[in-house]
Amino acid sequence: MIKDSFPFVEELKQLETGSLQGRMVPFDVAKRHITSILFCFVSEMTSSSSLSISNINNNDIQLISKLVILLLGAPGSGKGTQAQLLSKLLDIQHISTGDLCRNEIKIQSELGIIIQSYLEKGLHAPASITDPVLIKCFNNIDQDKGFLLDGYPRTFDQVIEAKTLLDKCGRKIDRVIYIDVSENILTERLKLRLICPTCSSGGHINSKDINEKVLCQKCGIPLEKRVDDSKDDIIKTRISTFQNNSEKLLSEFQSQGILYKIDGAQSIVQVYENIVTSLSLSVKTVSENGIVK
C-alpha cells in the first residue's frame, strides 16, 4: 500500500491500481513517481532511529551533530535536498543563504529588491548584503549544536569572511562536503527545476509536457520557476561562476584536510548514504585523536 503522506499520492494510487489492472504507464510518468518515492524513502529514513547505513550508529550521529558542516556544489547539484535530509538526521539547523535571500524577495523588502536585481543577472548578492542576516542566524544557534551551511561561503574571499563571522560566534567550519556533478547534468536539472513560492519545497517540470502544472505537495499550490533558473544564459552564467570560483576554494579546504568529495550524479539515496558514511568515518578518526568530545 502507498502511504497517504507520499507526494503525488493520488497519482501514485492510480499508478498502483493501473498496474494491477494491466494498464501501461508512460515512462515519463513512471520516472517522476519513482523519483518521488525515492525522496520519501530517504525522508523517512532520516527520521528513523535505526538507519540502514553501514558504519553509522547513534554515537556517530551525536558527534556529527556538533559539527559546522559546509555543503558545496554547483547550482543543481542537489546540495539543498541533501542539507534538508542531513538536518533531519542530525537535528541541526540548515542555513541556506539562497532561502534567506528568496524570502527577502518574496516579501519585497528593500533588501529583497536589491538581491533580486543580482539574481536576474545570474549573480550572487555581495557579502555586505548577506553578512548581517548570517550573523543573526549564527548567534541564534545553540552553542552545543552544529549546523549546516548551504550556499555560503562560495568563493575564496568569502571563506576568509566566513572565518571572521564564525570566529565572532566561537565557531569554525569543521567539514566540507563537495557534491560533484557534470555541467551537462546540472544544466538539465536546472531547466526542469521548480520551487514553491510559499514553503520553498522543490519539484520538477515534466519534460514531456512543459506546460503541465506541478503542485506543491505541502501547500497544494502551483510550483514556479526560480528567477535564476528562468533563462539558458543565466543558467550558464551561474554554473560558470561556480566553476571559476571553486578550484581555489576546494584546494583550500583540501589543504585543511576537511574536504570530502561525493559523486552527485547518483540517486538521492546514494548521495545521502555516501555523505553520511564519509562524515561518520571522519568523526571516528577525529574522536580517536581526542579532538571531538
Side-chain angles (χ1 to χ4, degrees):
M1 291 294 294
I2 296 168
K3 295 187 178 181
D4 289 340
S5 60
F6 278 6
F8 306 117
V9 62
E10 292 303 322
E11 289 177 278
L12 280 168
K13 286 179 178 177
Q14 292 173 17
L15 179 63
E16 182 182 46
T17 304
S19 64
L20 290 174
Q21 295 177 2
R23 294 201 298 268
M24 296 295 292
V25 178
F27 174 74
D28 60 299
V29 175
K31 182 179 179 182
R32 183 155 61 99
H33 293 320
I34 291 169
T35 301
S36 172
I37 293 171
L38 281 172
F39 185 84
C40 292
F41 167 73
V42 178
S43 297
E44 291 205 344
M45 184 168 63
T46 60
S47 61
S48 172
S49 58
S50 56
L51 299 175
S52 58
I53 300 178
S54 61
N55 302 319
I56 181 77
N57 54 47
N58 288 334
N59 184 57
D60 294 340
I61 292 175
Q62 289 178 3
L63 291 173
I64 298 169
S65 68
K66 296 180 180 181
L67 303 176
V68 175
I69 303 167
L70 168 61
L71 286 175
L72 274 181
S77 61
K79 61 183 180 299
T81 296
Q82 295 299 328
Q84 291 175 22
L85 298 175
L86 289 169
S87 176
K88 291 179 184 178
L89 170 66
L90 303 173
D91 190 27
I92 60 177
Q93 187 170 340
H94 166 210
I95 299 176
S96 166
T97 52
D99 286 347
L100 293 173
C101 290
R102 281 187 289 274
N103 183 62
E104 293 296 327
I105 293 173
K106 177 184 172 183
I107 63 177
Q108 282 295 284
S109 67
E110 183 178 349
L111 179 62
I113 293 171
I114 296 173
I115 292 172
Q116 186 169 6
S117 68
Y118 282 92
L119 295 184
E120 288 175 346
K121 300 173 185 175
L123 303 174
H124 296 296
S128 59
I129 294 175
T130 57
D131 280 1
V133 182
L134 287 168
I135 291 174
K136 182 179 179 180
C137 285
F138 295 161
N139 286 330
N140 288 336
I141 295 173
D142 187 335
Q143 286 293 310
D144 292 330
K145 302 196 75 172
F147 53 89
L148 289 160
L149 285 170
D150 168 12
Y152 175 90
R154 62 172 62 89
T155 68
F156 184 76
D157 288 342
Q158 285 183 346
V159 169
I160 299 172
E161 294 169 2
K163 184 179 185 306
T164 301
L165 294 179
L166 290 168
D167 281 346
K168 292 178 180 178
C169 309
R171 313 300 287 267
K172 64 181 178 64
I173 295 174
D174 298 296
R175 301 288 186 279
V176 179
I177 300 296
Y178 171 46
I179 304 176
D180 186 26
V181 183
S182 71
E183 184 173 349
N184 288 341
I185 294 177
L186 291 171
T187 301
E188 288 306 308
R189 287 181 181 179
L190 293 174
K191 285 181 178 179
L192 299 177
R193 187 165 68 173
L194 296 171
I195 192 169
C196 175
T198 300
C199 70
S200 296
S201 293
H204 288 84
I205 295 172
N206 180 352
S207 60
K208 298 294 183 180
D209 183 3
I210 61 174
N211 295 317
E212 178 187 2
K213 279 189 177 181
V214 181
L215 302 181
C216 175
Q217 300 307 307
K218 291 182 180 179
C219 306
I221 63 175
L223 300 181
E224 301 175 352
K225 287 288 290 179
R226 282 173 40 167
V227 174
D228 47 356
D229 289 343
S230 58
K231 297 179 180 179
D232 288 352
D233 58 338
I234 294 178
I235 290 175
K236 186 174 181 179
T237 297
R238 294 176 65 211
I239 295 175
S240 175
T241 298
F242 175 82
Q243 291 173 337
N244 291 337
N245 290 328
S246 63
E247 184 175 352
K248 189 175 181 180
L249 187 66
L250 296 173
S251 177
E252 170 63 21
F253 290 129
Q254 182 71 52
S255 69
Q256 295 179 27
I258 59 174
L259 179 67
Y260 298 84
K261 185 176 178 180
I262 305 294
D263 179 4
Q266 303 174 97
S267 70
I268 292 173
V269 176
Q270 289 172 316
V271 172
Y272 172 77
E273 289 179 339
N274 288 342
I275 290 174
V276 175
T277 300
S278 295
L279 289 171
S280 175
L281 291 174
S282 79
V283 294
K284 279 181 175 21
T285 301
V286 174
S287 62
E288 288 172 359
N289 294 329
I291 299 174
V292 175
K293 299 179 180 180

